[in-house]
Amino acid sequence: MAAVLFAALMTTVLTSCSKDDDEPKKAEFTKAVVKYTVTSDAATLGLYKVNVYGTDVDGNDFVETMSNPSYTKTVEIPVSKLPCTVELRTVATPLEDKAATEDFDVNIDRSLDVMTLRSDNTVVDDKEVNYNSWATKVAAGTSLSEFAKSHLNNHPKLVIYIDANGNVSIKK
């Protein structure tokens, strides 16, 4: 009986000391998480339809219309879809082609944040690019359509490149 118990104990000891247990698996780069954020205000959205253009999980363009002053969309791009470039831009269209009847402030701010992650959720790289339009005063009598062309839709595209290794760079 003692010999059987000793043999079982030795099997357990030798199994637990195996080399496979000593080498932890390395976390591999698995995905890029892209966060699109656009903020505005009720006055702007009361006069303009604001479309948000971005890049989806397959690298294709998407367009969504802001329905409230705070827009956020998160897209996870698997490593198999990289390298790729993601973009964010907005286009404002007046709800009515008319002149402003009173002075008002207009505001559309954009942020594009890209974080690349390993399988254990540690960060490989993280970059964010913003464009803050601040509040711009629009005078009564200003054409809403002309103001959209000259100010609201004249902002640069926000562009970030993600390479196949998870390195992220801001494109200008």
Side-chain angles (χ1 to χ4, degrees):
M1 176 83 155
V4 171
L5 205 50
F6 180 74
L9 180 61
M10 288 308 292
T11 302
T12 304
V13 169
L14 292 175
T15 303
S16 67
C17 291
S18 144
K19 272 237 185 249
D20 293 339
D21 292 341
D22 293 341
E23 295 178 27
K25 294 192 179 209
K26 292 182 181 177
E28 296 178 2
F29 168 53
T30 58
K31 64 183 172 183
V33 178
V34 181
K35 184 176 179 184
Y36 301 93
T37 305
V38 180
T39 57
S40 188
D41 55 25
T44 303
L45 294 179
L47 296 171
Y48 291 94
K49 174 178 91 170
V50 178
N51 284 334
V52 178
Y53 293 82
T55 308
D56 70 12
V57 67
D58 294 317
N60 300 316
D61 294 334
F62 72 79
V63 60
E64 295 181 359
T65 301
M66 288 182 70
S67 57
N68 63 55
S70 182
Y71 171 91
T72 301
K73 181 179 181 93
T74 301
V75 174
E76 291 188 6
I77 302 173
V79 70
S80 63
K81 299 289 185 178
L82 300 176
C84 77
T85 300
V86 292
E87 299 180 351
L88 171 63
R89 67 184 176 93
T90 56
V91 174
T93 307
L95 297 175
E96 293 181 57
D97 191 13
K98 64 178 186 176
T101 56
E102 59 187 47
D103 292 356
F104 69 96
D105 291 330
V106 65
N107 185 27
I108 301 174
D109 297 329
R110 299 173 290 154
S111 173
L112 177 60
D113 184 17
V114 175
M115 181 184 317
T116 53
L117 300 171
R118 295 182 187 91
S119 55
D120 63 357
N121 284 328
T122 57
V123 176
V124 177
D125 202 356
D126 186 9
K127 296 276 189 308
E128 183 176 6
V129 61
N130 300 294
Y131 188 88
N132 297 319
S133 63
W134 310 108
T136 303
K137 185 67 98 180
V138 179
T142 302
S143 163
L144 297 179
S145 171
E146 288 302 315
F147 184 77
K149 287 179 192 172
S150 65
H151 289 82
L152 298 179
N153 299 333
N154 201 15
H155 300 282
K157 249 191 278 194
L158 305 180
V159 182
I160 294 182
Y161 175 74
I162 311 161
D163 75 14
N165 297 316
N167 298 308
V168 180
S169 56
I170 298 171
K171 299 294 181 185
K172 297 197 181 217

